[in-house]
Amino acid sequence: MRPSTKHAVSPAGDICRLSALELADKIRQRQLSVREVIGAFLDRIEAVNPLVNAIVSLRDPSDILAEADRADAHLARGGEAGSLFGLPIAIKDLALTKGLRTTFGSPIFADFVPQEDDFFVERLRKAGAIIIGKTNVPEFGLGSNTYNPVFGPTLNAFDPVLTAGGSSGGAAVALALDMVPVADGSDFGGSLRNPAAYNNVYGFRPSQGLVPAGPDIDVFHAQMGVEGPMGRNVRDIALLLDEQAGHHPRAPLSHDKQGSFLEGLRTKAVGGRIAWLGDLGGQLPTERGVLELCEAALARFSDASFATEALVPDVDFEALWQAFVTLRQASSGCGLKAHYDDPEKRKLLKPEAVWEVEQAIRLTAPQIHAATVRRSLWHRTLLSLFERFDLIVLPTAQVFPFDVATHWLREIAGRAMDSYHRWMQVSAFATLGACPALNVPVGFDGKGRPMGMQLIGRARGDLAVLKAGAAYEATLPWPAGAS
């Protein structure tokens, strides 16, 4: 069963424990005022956030409550209410928020206030969400441990000694401790999935192109990072995804969604076949206990008529990882080069950012081409696998949450890690395949540390993955979150 959080905090009140869907419905039905909802969450943030540092750049509460009052007045006049109307949301601090400080976790941008929203942020505002602040991130989102020199570290929702994961660490902890009802995140190498696993919530990496990215200076090349939703249940994830998803003319690689994900969840999954890749037959070093929790969780899928088969595809996974590293350097490293080229700004970059840039500078066009060819071969392998299976499942992380003071793990199970992100290699496979991947909680080890597993589906098969996640969620004996 779920252990109690080790933070000195009381359980959340009734309003904050409601799902995002329930809250939105009660607001529309005038059973709860927006002010009541916003006030309850602000009180929760005041009580809990100082213990974990999940929400940053919080707006002045009086301004937030004034916006809530305007929303209530709008409803009183018979105004329309969007799907997120009156819900408080804190936006990940890698996304632009018009008029609200956006730091990217970097001292270079410590005082930066954007003049426009990211595309998905604009959509959330139009759907009626009230943006109350930001959620903490690692510097430029690099690394699955949320700390930075601007705001400091975010602590795990269950244990203040442990990392929250990252890069959506602030979002996951805010969700787990009921400081927000739903949250956005982003994912390149596991940044939606890893912190969700480490805090016993759900995190969904959508298919590439489903949620438009931008505004960006590069709209064609940098395509492995995606925006997506996080929630305390699968239906809340679908609620947010319905607003985030869909083509945007300034994001040419984005595509239209096929109907409502929330409506699609009204039809239950009818079962299917699961390929369990585990640790790839020992190729992925994994902490003791991770596989056992995932395998026990997989057994729950039999209650939803899913059959599981252990499988290790005939793939050169080391070459595939090196392709991921090359393509990440070509994207993230090049994106950071302008800061690196300025000597004063270079002093402010963390070592992992400098490493990405310096590796990117050394890349050649043939190396990048070879990496894209390797990625394309992996895509063909996935197409073949999805002819036989409905889901591919792996652990979400290779280790349990570790000491927050450890920036990144140098070894797992006696095997050395050769980069700051090698310990998250298990996340690269969905990214390289442009596949949707949902983290679902699998429980806790003997020390009370959470873990999750990834449900990976065929590209653009997002609804099928969410349906499978909902079927699994119905089997769980414990609720998501920590409070």
Side-chain angles (χ1 to χ4, degrees):
M1 297 297 290
R2 185 188 71 181
S4 299
T5 176
K6 295 179 181 178
H7 295 285
V9 58
S10 301
D14 291 342
I15 288 178
C16 296
R17 285 201 300 266
L18 292 173
S19 72
L21 271 168
E22 291 171 320
L23 285 168
D25 184 63
K26 288 182 178 296
I27 289 171
R28 280 192 294 271
Q29 299 299 321
R30 309 290 297 279
Q31 296 172 5
L32 283 173
S33 69
V34 177
R35 187 181 181 90
E36 284 179 291
V37 171
I38 295 295
F41 279 99
L42 287 177
D43 288 345
R44 180 66 176 170
I45 291 167
E46 183 179 10
V48 177
N49 197 55
L51 301 174
V52 292
N53 192 38
I55 293 178
V56 297
S57 299
L58 183 70
R59 293 170 55 201
D60 187 307
S62 63
D63 292 339
I64 300 172
L65 289 170
E67 188 172 344
D69 289 339
R70 291 193 294 272
D72 282 325
H74 173 80
L75 279 184
R77 294 192 300 268
E80 293 186 2
S83 69
L84 304 176
F85 190 87
L87 297 187
I89 294 182
I91 302 297
K92 185 174 178 179
D93 204 23
L94 297 183
L96 300 178
T97 44
K98 184 177 180 179
L100 180 60
R101 183 166 63 149
T102 300
T103 74
F104 311 103
S106 167
I108 296 172
F109 290 96
D111 300 313
F112 174 57
V113 178
Q115 298 306 303
E116 60 183 340
D117 283 327
D118 260 27
F119 299 148
F120 82 89
V121 175
E122 183 179 29
R123 290 176 173 182
L124 301 190
R125 291 191 199 270
K126 288 182 178 178
I130 294 178
I131 295 174
I132 61 172
K134 309 300 286 282
T135 55
N136 204 23
V137 297
E139 183 179 327
F140 295 114
L142 299 176
S144 290
N145 185 1
T146 298
Y147 67 90
N148 63 64
V150 182
F151 299 112
T154 294
L155 308 182
N156 189 278
F158 287 86
D159 192 331
V161 172
L162 302 179
T163 176
S167 62
S168 307
V173 173
L175 268 175
L177 290 170
D178 299 317
M179 289 186 276
V180 291
V182 71
D184 71 284
S186 55
D187 188 301
F188 194 123
S191 289
L192 271 159
R193 294 164 280 163
N194 161 272
Y198 278 8
N199 294 280
N200 192 48
V201 295
Y202 296 83
F204 185 56
R205 175 193 168 91
S207 294
Q208 181 178 307
L210 180 60
V211 177
D216 290 325
I217 58 172
D218 166 30
V219 297
F220 288 106
H221 175 63
Q223 53 180 297
M224 293 205 297
V226 300
E227 310 286 346
M230 304 178 76
R232 295 171 295 184
N233 61 72
V234 175
R235 286 177 59 79
D236 282 355
I237 277 181
L239 171 73
L240 187 58
L241 185 61
D242 272 344
E243 297 299 340
Q244 291 176 308
H247 176 70
H248 193 289
R250 290 175 60 191
L253 299 182
S254 64
H255 55 81
D256 290 325
K257 62 176 181 175
Q258 301 298 314
S260 164
F261 293 103
L262 188 57
E263 288 299 315
L265 286 179
R266 292 183 182 276
T267 304
K268 294 184 178 180
V270 293
R273 299 193 66 202
I274 293 172
W276 165 239
L277 273 56
D279 63 354
L280 305 177
Q283 296 182 67
L284 290 176
T286 306
E287 185 175 357
R288 185 185 300 274
V290 171
L291 295 178
E292 290 80 1
L293 274 178
C294 291
E295 288 166 355
L298 273 174
R300 298 183 182 280
F301 264 112
S302 62
D303 294 340
S305 301
F306 281 84
T308 299
E309 177 183 331
L311 178 73
V312 179
D314 184 15
V315 171
D316 186 339
F317 285 104
E318 178 59 27
L320 189 60
W321 168 252
Q322 294 304 328
F324 172 85
V325 172
T326 295
L327 294 173
R328 182 177 171 92
Q329 290 166 355
S331 175
S332 300
C334 290
L336 293 168
K337 186 174 180 296
H339 307 311
Y340 178 91
D341 289 342
D342 182 328
E344 293 305 311
K345 291 181 179 178
R346 185 187 305 181
K347 296 175 184 176
L348 300 176
L349 295 175
K350 72 177 185 178
E352 292 81 5
V354 172
W355 180 82
E356 289 281 6
V357 175
E358 292 181 345
Q359 293 298 309
I361 292 170
R362 298 186 181 99
L363 288 178
T364 65
Q367 286 176 309
I368 297 171
H369 175 71
T372 62
V373 169
R374 178 68 62 177
R375 183 186 183 192
S376 299
L377 289 172
W378 173 237
H379 178 252
R380 288 176 60 185
T381 298
L382 287 170
L383 290 178
S384 178
L385 287 173
F386 284 125
E387 289 178 0
R388 299 170 49 202
F389 299 97
D390 300 284
L391 293 173
I392 294 170
V393 177
L394 293 133
T396 298
Q398 292 162 234
V399 294
F400 289 100
F402 50 87
D403 193 311
V404 68
T406 300
H407 288 179
W408 54 275
L409 294 175
R410 264 54 178 188
E411 69 171 44
I412 301 175
R415 288 164 63 177
M417 301 290 102
D418 57 6
S419 70
Y420 76 96
H421 49 18
R422 181 66 176 242
W423 64 276
M424 281 297 296
Q425 182 178 351
V426 72
S427 295
F429 308 127
T431 298
L432 289 167
C435 295
L438 175 68
N439 172 78
V440 296
V442 300
F444 306 81
D445 74 346
K447 298 179 181 179
R449 298 177 298 177
M451 182 46 60
M453 64 184 178
Q454 307 172 68
L455 311 184
I456 302 172
R458 68 185 74 240
R460 303 200 184 191
D462 299 73
L463 178 57
V465 173
L466 293 175
K467 282 186 174 183
Y472 170 81
E473 180 188 355
T475 72
L476 293 181
W478 70 84
S483 66

